Amino acid sequence: MPEPHLLAADTDRTAVVTRLDESLADGRLTLAEYEDRSARAHAARTYGELAELTADLPLPARREPARREPARSPVASALYGGAWHGSWGPDLRAAWTQWATTAVIVVGIWLVSVLGSGDLQYPWPVWVIGPWGVVLLARTIGERRSQGTDRQQLPA
């Protein structure tokens, strides 16, 4: 931390409160201690005042930086659904499950209409499940390839 007499910024106070949050979660602080220290952190004016609040806490363990997820367009969000996951993560499995469920439903509707009318009708379900399946297959192949390149980049 810089010299104790220098004025602290809001980001410095926030960093100390975050460290206090982690210490509370780890069980190093009681709720009363946490409330007192976090109130003092928000009111602190100098680095020295902030340093006093964490002086008896061990240094935080080195954490891996969060992996930044790629930016997603509204179209990608609509096609892929919720959060971005790695290859065959919950998101990809859910997407294939939704595709298969929809395929069974629309093909079932088409079969009922064919059987009900007695003649072969145009196979319109192809336009519902075909493009969706192509996009999903491309996504699956892309994620598999990117997972393969990630493995190659890892140190031995």
Side-chain angles (χ1 to χ4, degrees):
M1 206 171 260
E3 296 180 41
H5 69 280
L6 294 177
L7 294 175
D10 287 339
T11 55
D12 301 318
R13 287 183 275 277
T14 302
V16 169
V17 171
T18 300
R19 188 156 169 218
L20 294 172
D21 290 342
E22 292 169 357
S23 296
L24 175 66
D26 291 342
R28 298 185 195 287
L29 296 175
T30 65
L31 187 56
E33 289 172 320
Y34 168 78
E35 290 173 347
D36 175 56
R37 291 183 190 205
S38 62
R40 288 173 40 204
H42 287 294
R45 299 226 347 109
T46 64
Y47 284 112
E49 293 171 8
L50 290 175
E52 290 173 12
L53 301 173
T54 58
D56 61 342
L57 299 175
L59 291 175
R62 180 177 162 88
R63 297 181 187 205
E64 292 296 319
R67 212 172 113 181
R68 188 161 186 233
E69 296 183 357
R72 295 182 50 195
S73 69
V75 173
S77 294
L79 287 174
Y80 301 146
W84 183 272
H85 293 281
S87 182
W88 285 103
D91 186 46
L92 192 54
R93 285 191 183 126
W96 276 109
T97 302
Q98 291 167 352
W99 178 85
T101 303
T102 303
V104 167
I105 291 170
V106 296
V107 169
I109 292 170
W110 177 76
L111 281 174
V112 167
S113 65
V114 165
L115 294 174
S117 69
D119 42 85
L120 190 59
Q121 297 177 1
Y122 182 78
W124 58 266
V126 133
W127 295 107
V128 175
I129 59 177
W132 185 5
V134 169
V135 169
L136 202 49
L137 183 61
R139 177 180 168 215
T140 301
I141 291 169
E143 287 189 14
R144 290 274 173 113
R145 283 187 182 159
S146 71
Q147 186 180 31
T149 58
D150 289 347
R151 285 186 188 145
Q152 292 172 359
Q153 293 173 356
L154 292 176

